[in-house]
Amino acid sequence: VKTFVVVGLGLIGGSLAASIRERFPRATVIGVSRRGENLRVARRKRWIDEGTTRLPTPLRGAHLVLVATPVPMIPRFIRKLDDVAEPGTLVTDVGSTKAEIVRWVVRERLNRIQFVGSHPLAGSHLKGLGAARADLFDGASVFITPTSSANPRAVRTLSAFWKRLRTQVYLCSPELHDRIVAAISHLPHAVVSILMHSVSKTFLRYGAGGFLDTTRIAQSDPDLWAGIFLTNRANLIRSLSTFDRKLKALSDLLANGSEKGIRHFLALAQARRREAGKGRP
Amino acid sequence: VKTFVVVGLGLIGGSLAASIRERFPRATVIGVSRRGENLRVARRKRWIDEGTTRLPTPLRGAHLVLVATPVPMIPRFIRKLDDVAEPGTLVTDVGSTKAEIVRWVVRERLNRIQFVGSHPLAGSHLKGLGAARADLFDGASVFITPTSSANPRAVRTLSAFWKRLRTQVYLCSPELHDRIVAAISHLPHAVVSILMHSVSKTFLRYGAGGFLDTTRIAQSDPDLWAGIFLTNRANLIRSLSTFDRKLKALSDLLANGSEKGIRHFLALAQARRREAGKGRP
């Protein structure tokens, strides 16, 4: 029987516990959260079997430890896990940027644990355990970002775990991962936030369904996203500068009144969006 | 018993006929479409009582004529309506920009019809009669854009019509209307299209639910939108330039690594989005 430890019971940690309960029905799930209320709620929902406010010391028999705390707290928990876990224990995180944390892990020269980073592309503009759900990861993409020195068996185990949660697993380097998410996640978030700054307050109430859908992600937690932007800022600045060049291209077409050019610009955007949405809900 | 004439049976025209059928159950609805197939479908669904491929000549007893053709064809139909309709017939269009069409109407010195422009903020990235539905306008905002010389009674009748279709009606000048939609509709559409140009093709398939929601409107008809952009290009260029200034502000915060500044930027965007979404589905 497997034992999973989930550290942090917010939206992602809570959803992890719930999905593990569903997809590994015989496993033991241990939840770790500073907040007693989260432990009580997760236990009442039977998403965890045991809840503690601190990491168990020593930590024995864990098949996999998932660190789902806010990004700035991840290193502290990994450090601690390396002190208390059995040698060889597999540990992953679910943070939204990977190069920084993986560089930190390499520098730290961990002794006991096997660390391999993960990033499930799933979330919500809602936060906290109240928004957690067992199907949050259904069909989501998950990046696993091993370093060149990662243990192949640890990578296989982690990959099998995420697949069991019905996700689509991609392996890539932490650096490539961060470039990808800069483009498909951090840039859209930045752009939508900039959009909210560009619309005069008195016009906001006229925004229709399309406007609300487009800007939905601007409702996400500013503290969480400031952290994400900062740990990936070089890539995000580059993505914003690409965006700015394309913006100038469209502005020029408008200034020239080039109907053909504008049509072509919009048709290419349409084709790419269709491509991106292919086979998706 | 009232008679409504709907010219053009695409997404908007078809939905208009369907809503009129529902909200004015005893009225006669006449559909005008170049496409015989659309007339057959609309009749089969009982959204129209009669269908013709040309405007009835002479056009008698129409309570309201709604021109729901593509924007470039609106003037032609209004011109024709002024020739064939009874004196005093109320005519509106549903085009997405208003200053240009209203200026044209004023220049034309129409003799018989009373023209007042409308713009329901409702739509879909889908097009055509197949996407039409009776509830498309439920809860939508509708702008009515009378000129200073408009007949007050015509404005009241048009306003009562849209309210009966369960919309929220706003009256404003064609010029203010075009500034508002530049900000809340045309700018978001432009920004999302630019975003699709900024993401490398090979990264597209990793886009998650947030990305797909944000970029959904990029799937809209490029021809339709090129027309909208061109008829409102001065306002859209101004909106894009405001956006560009805000983009530079965020880029600078990122370059400086200002966590506090980034948080503040994102928190203001979040607050505005919440404000915009208040009391909406």
Side-chain angles (χ1 to χ4, degrees), chain A residues 69-89:
Chain A
T69 64
V71 173
M73 291 160 66
I74 298 175
R76 193 189 318 165
F77 277 102
I78 293 178
R79 180 75 267 162
K80 182 91 186 287
L81 282 161
D82 198 51
D83 292 335
V84 303
E86 280 180 311
T89 301

Side-chain angles (χ1 to χ4, degrees), chain B residues 1-2 4 15-16 18-27 63-64 134-135 137-140 142 144 155-169:
Chain B
V1 176
K2 289 170 176 167
F4 293 91
S15 298
L16 275 172
S19 327
I20 292 169
R21 170 63 71 234
E22 209 177 275
R23 306 294 296 158
F24 299 85
R26 296 174 48 196
H63 173 66
L64 172 61
D135 66 353
F137 305 105
D138 271 24
V142 174
I144 296 180
V155 175
R156 275 200 304 276
T157 304
L158 187 58
S159 179
F161 166 78
W162 282 114
K163 282 179 187 160
R164 184 83 168 261
L165 258 51
R166 295 199 188 89
T167 65
Q168 173 74 45
V169 172

Side-chain angles (χ1 to χ4, degrees), chain A:
Chain A
V1 175
K2 288 169 176 168
T3 297
F4 293 91
V5 180
V6 180
V7 183
L9 291 175
L11 169 68
I12 301 292
S15 298
L16 275 172
S19 329
I20 293 170
R21 169 64 69 235
E22 207 177 277
R23 305 294 298 157
F24 299 86
R26 295 174 49 197
T28 300
V29 184
I30 300 173
V32 182
S33 169
R34 281 174 311 175
R35 302 182 57 191
E37 177 57 18
N38 278 353
L39 295 172
R40 273 188 294 279
V41 170
R43 203 139 38 174
R44 201 162 54 228
K45 289 174 177 282
R46 304 195 187 285
W47 289 349
I48 60 173
D49 300 285
E50 293 169 40
T52 75
T53 53
R54 292 160 164 276
L55 279 179
T57 314
L59 179 59
R60 293 217 178 92
H63 173 65
L64 171 62
V65 182
L66 298 125
V67 180
T69 64
V71 173
M73 291 160 66
I74 298 175
R76 193 189 318 165
F77 277 102
I78 293 178
R79 180 75 267 162
K80 182 91 186 287
L81 282 161
D82 198 51
D83 292 335
V84 303
E86 280 180 311
T89 301
L90 177 56
V91 175
T92 192
D93 74 320
V94 293
S96 298
T97 58
K98 297 264 76 83
E100 194 168 295
I101 185 76
V102 169
R103 269 198 303 269
W104 177 86
V105 165
V106 169
R107 274 201 314 272
E108 281 292 296
R109 303 174 179 283
L110 302 175
N111 294 313
R112 302 176 178 227
I113 65 170
Q114 302 274 2
F115 177 83
V116 180
S118 310
H119 176 209
L121 283 183
S124 164
H125 60 279
L126 303 171
K127 63 183 280 204
L129 186 61
R133 13 180 266 261
D135 66 354
L136 188 71
F137 305 106
D138 272 24
S141 297
V142 174
F143 289 97
I144 296 179
T145 59
T147 55
S148 50
S149 63
N151 179 322
R153 210 173 146 233
V155 175
R156 276 199 304 276
T157 305
L158 187 58
S159 180
F161 165 77
W162 282 114
K163 283 180 186 158
R164 184 83 167 261
L165 257 51
R166 296 200 188 88
T167 65
Q168 173 75 43
V169 172
Y170 299 99
L171 265 77
C172 73
S173 71
E175 290 72 26
L176 177 59
H177 166 273
D178 282 8
R179 284 205 296 130
I180 293 174
V181 293
I184 58 156
S185 170
H186 309 167
L187 176 64
H189 198 96
V191 159
V192 162
S193 300
I194 296 164
L195 186 56
M196 293 313 301
H197 278 254
S198 312
V199 178
S200 132
K201 260 182 94 166
T202 52
F203 293 175
L204 282 179
R205 64 179 153 144
Y206 304 115
F211 179 76
L212 296 178
D213 281 357
T214 299
T215 56
R216 184 176 59 81
I217 55 171
Q219 292 174 95
S220 311
D221 182 14
D223 294 350
L224 173 72
W225 278 89
I228 293 173
F229 280 10
L230 278 171
T231 51
N232 202 19
R233 68 195 178 112
N235 285 317
L236 180 53
I237 289 171
R238 249 193 304 275
S239 288
L240 279 168
S241 129
T242 302
F243 183 96
D244 201 35
R245 267 188 291 117
K246 306 290 182 179
L247 186 152
K248 287 209 171 45
L250 179 60
S251 285
D252 287 349
L253 292 170
L254 287 164
N256 299 334
S258 160
E259 180 164 10
K260 201 178 147 196
I262 295 168
R263 271 189 193 179
H264 188 253
F265 190 95
L266 295 177
L268 189 142
Q270 182 194 45
R272 288 211 172 166
R273 177 56 182 76
R274 284 185 174 163
E275 179 73 26
K278 222 175 245 173
R280 311 292 201 86

Side-chain angles (χ1 to χ4, degrees), chain A residues 259 263 266, chain B residues 11-12 69-72 95-96 124-127 189 220-231:
Chain A
E259 180 164 10
R263 271 189 193 179
L266 295 177
Chain B
L11 169 68
I12 301 291
T69 64
V71 172
S96 298
S124 164
H125 60 279
L126 304 170
K127 64 183 278 201
H189 198 95
S220 311
D221 182 14
D223 295 349
L224 173 73
W225 279 89
I228 292 173
F229 279 10
L230 278 171
T231 51

Side-chain angles (χ1 to χ4, degrees), chain A residues 207 213 216 233 244 254, chain B residues 207 213 216 233 244 254 280:
Chain A
D213 281 357
R216 184 176 59 81
R233 68 195 178 112
D244 201 35
L254 287 164
Chain B
D213 281 356
R216 185 177 58 82
R233 67 194 178 112
D244 201 36
L254 287 164
R280 310 292 201 87

